[in-house]
Amino acid sequence: MATVESLVAQIQGLSSSAGDLSLLLTHLKQADEFLHNESTRLLPFLEQLDPTLHSLGYLYILEACTSWPVTNEQARRLVLILSRFLTSCVADQIRLAPEKFIAVCKSFKDQVLMLEAPIRGVVPLLEAVKKLRSSEHLTTLHPDFLQLCLLAKCYKTGLSILEDDIFEVDQPRDFYLYCYYGGMICIGQKRFQKALELLHNVVTAPMSSINAIAVEAFKKYVLVSLIYNGQFSTSLPKYTSSAAQRNLKTICQPYIELANTYSIGKISELESYIQTSREKFDSDNNLGLVKQVVSSMYKRNIQRLTQTYLTLSLQDIANTVQLSSPKEAEMHVLQMIQDGEIYATINQRDGMVRFLEDPEQYKTCEMIEHIDSSIQRIMTLSKKLTAMDELISCDPLYLAKVGRERQRFDFDDFDPVPQKFNI
């Protein structure tokens, strides 16, 4: 009969080569039930193992230890052990048992949340994501990592995995959460273009029925569209699911009304509507974004002035845009110049603003490199899409579905002899 001591000895002796690891994996699978039955006394045995040298065996024991509910005191001890393991384990070994590794990572996330210390989980879980994932693959750990980044307000750390291209998804829910949390992280960093892209992915993703993630994403999608684009189109793309097309705009009616009010261009009407619906926006935790929508209207109105005037006084800008003073108008103009939203100079002596043309000539080395990089990326994406299209066109499930839906014709329906054309 197997004992914990003998299993630890096997782990120590069979962790050096690929062949040994394969044999060890067989032993560990056979001992899995035994480990779970002995879970309460396994922690001391981890001291005999090195998480770097014995990653696979360490993983199996650790998963058994964390498979049951733990107290706060136990969680404090386990978080230290789990954190050390996730940062030092070897990718090649843990990938032999991905389900176990995912279970351990999710237990780790739950425990740092139980301790109300999400920041303690950010770096270890980032390492776990890097070790588990293959290129262009979305793991179930991605959304968990982004959730911890949000709660810990480590937005820049979260951005590190949002730059990677994703082409493979296992579970739709993981994709929804990845894009939703990612969108919120980009909002926190004022990267509204990327946030809009991620939220758009949630709203337009395939779904048979509406879900809460899509609803919350759509609310933020409307607000970020107004902030970044200065407008929101109520017609969703054709590839959006019928469930989303039918329900989202009805469920999120206050946000559609906000977009309609914004399109009028009057600050007073926008602020009046926001005040009326303030409780709704506040309960959705979107009041901060709504306030940024108001601020963006001032910017849009100032941008419209650049299309009409070459020079304008700060007092006239304040009056036209409905700002309280020339000083406030100056602050808005300076911020927009700094953000590259307008090109202008301010004469402090007479309080006049001179609007300029875009100085970018698109012929610098940096710009050429940027354009070339974008072209290369688009070409790579095009090849990837072609390969995916060919793969889908050969898929038996797809062919069966197309075959059922395609209109069938009898051979007699076609004329075997071409008709003569009169010229």
Side-chain angles (χ1 to χ4, degrees):
M1 182 178 177
T3 63
V4 179
E5 290 80 1
S6 64
L7 193 61
V8 169
Q10 287 180 328
I11 293 170
Q12 291 171 334
L14 297 174
S15 297
S16 55
S17 67
D20 287 345
L21 285 170
S22 179
L23 182 59
L24 176 61
L25 182 61
T26 302
H27 289 316
L28 289 171
K29 287 180 178 179
Q30 292 171 352
D32 194 36
E33 185 177 351
F34 167 74
L35 286 172
H36 280 78
N37 292 336
E38 298 289 328
S39 61
T40 55
R41 70 184 195 92
L42 291 177
L43 277 181
F45 290 96
L46 290 175
E47 296 175 3
Q48 302 176 34
L49 301 174
D50 186 323
T52 304
L53 299 176
H54 313 118
S55 300
L56 181 59
Y58 205 102
L59 172 61
Y60 262 80
I61 294 177
L62 205 50
E63 190 273 333
C65 293
T66 57
S67 59
W68 305 101
V70 296
T71 63
N72 272 32
E73 186 177 345
Q74 291 171 324
R76 288 190 188 93
R77 184 184 178 191
L78 278 170
V79 161
L80 293 172
I81 297 171
L82 288 163
S83 179
R84 177 173 172 244
F85 172 71
L86 294 179
T87 52
S88 59
C89 65
V90 176
D92 290 341
Q93 290 197 32
I94 61 98
R95 285 179 183 173
L96 296 173
E99 297 83 5
K100 296 286 184 186
F101 188 69
I102 289 169
V104 165
C105 291
K106 287 188 174 293
S107 178
F108 174 67
K109 185 203 80 168
D110 292 340
Q111 288 172 31
V112 295
L113 293 181
M114 179 194 296
L115 297 176
E116 298 181 351
I119 196 169
R120 294 179 64 182
V122 171
V123 172
L125 213 54
L126 175 59
E127 290 300 313
V129 169
K130 290 177 179 177
K131 290 171 182 177
L132 183 64
R133 75 170 295 188
S134 56
S135 61
E136 302 175 347
H137 180 248
L138 181 71
T139 72
T140 191
L141 298 182
H142 277 78
D144 289 341
F145 166 68
L146 292 177
Q147 182 187 9
L148 289 184
C149 289
L150 273 174
L151 294 173
K153 294 182 170 57
C154 296
Y155 303 137
K156 287 186 179 179
T157 309
L159 285 174
S160 63
I161 68 167
L162 292 173
E163 299 300 330
D164 299 330
D165 291 324
I166 298 292
F167 291 103
E168 298 176 24
V169 179
D170 292 333
Q171 297 295 329
R173 186 174 182 274
D174 293 335
F175 179 72
Y176 298 148
L177 287 174
Y178 168 80
C179 291
Y180 178 64
Y181 290 149
M184 292 178 69
I185 283 174
C186 290
I187 289 170
Q189 286 293 99
K190 305 287 186 184
R191 295 186 57 174
F192 293 117
Q193 183 177 10
K194 182 66 175 179
L196 203 59
E197 174 190 326
L198 290 165
L199 295 171
H200 176 89
N201 289 342
V202 184
V203 172
T204 59
M207 61 185 80
S208 56
S209 60
I210 206 69
N211 61 74
I213 304 170
V215 171
E216 294 306 311
F218 184 75
K219 294 173 182 177
K220 288 179 171 58
Y221 180 62
V222 174
L223 298 176
V224 175
S225 294
L226 295 176
I227 294 169
Y228 183 72
N229 293 325
Q231 60 182 356
F232 173 73
S233 174
T234 54
S235 58
L236 294 170
K238 291 181 179 180
Y239 50 82
T240 308
S241 69
S242 57
Q245 296 272 18
R246 286 194 309 268
N247 299 301
L248 283 178
K249 284 179 275 189
T250 304
I251 295 172
C252 306
Q253 191 59 37
Y255 293 84
I256 299 298
E257 290 296 329
L258 177 69
N260 293 336
T261 307
Y262 186 99
S263 64
I264 298 171
K266 295 184 178 179
I267 291 288
S268 56
E269 291 188 21
L270 181 63
E271 290 180 333
S272 175
Y273 177 76
I274 291 171
Q275 193 59 38
T276 304
S277 306
R278 183 185 181 91
E279 187 175 340
K280 170 63 178 173
F281 297 135
D282 198 15
S283 66
D284 289 340
N285 293 318
N286 285 329
L287 191 57
L289 267 181
V290 169
K291 290 178 180 178
Q292 291 185 61
V293 168
V294 176
S295 179
S296 75
M297 178 173 276
Y298 287 115
K299 292 181 179 181
R300 297 299 164 194
N301 289 341
I302 291 173
Q303 283 178 329
R304 290 191 185 99
L305 295 177
T306 67
Q307 299 169 8
T308 308
Y309 301 96
L310 291 175
T311 57
L312 204 60
S313 70
L314 290 169
Q315 182 64 61
D316 287 337
I317 292 175
N319 293 340
T320 306
V321 181
Q322 301 176 42
L323 290 167
S324 58
S325 65
K327 188 65 178 176
E328 190 176 354
E330 182 180 3
M331 294 305 296
H332 273 83
V333 171
L334 285 173
Q335 186 62 53
M336 293 177 72
I337 293 172
Q338 183 178 338
D339 294 342
E341 295 172 333
I342 61 170
Y343 304 96
T345 58
I346 301 176
N347 189 324
Q348 296 284 354
R349 184 177 301 173
D350 55 13
M352 296 297 292
V353 179
R354 182 186 176 195
F355 299 117
L356 307 173
E357 295 292 330
D358 182 356
E360 178 60 65
Q361 298 296 312
Y362 298 96
K363 60 184 181 181
T364 61
C365 292
E366 293 80 4
M367 181 55 67
I368 292 171
E369 287 178 4
H370 175 71
I371 293 172
D372 182 65
S373 174
S374 298
I375 292 172
Q376 293 298 326
R377 190 165 183 270
I378 291 170
M379 290 172 64
T380 303
L381 179 60
S382 176
K383 291 177 182 177
K384 176 71 70 173
L385 288 172
T386 301
M388 291 175 68
D389 184 61
E390 291 175 355
L391 189 64
I392 291 172
S393 65
C394 298
D395 186 86
L397 292 175
Y398 171 76
L399 293 173
K401 182 175 176 60
V402 171
R404 288 194 302 270
E405 294 178 354
R406 182 180 295 162
Q407 185 178 1
R408 290 170 173 78
F409 296 94
D410 292 327
F411 183 79
D412 294 338
D413 291 338
F414 296 92
D415 191 343
V417 181
Q419 297 289 331
K420 292 182 180 179
F421 294 95
N422 294 323
I423 300 179

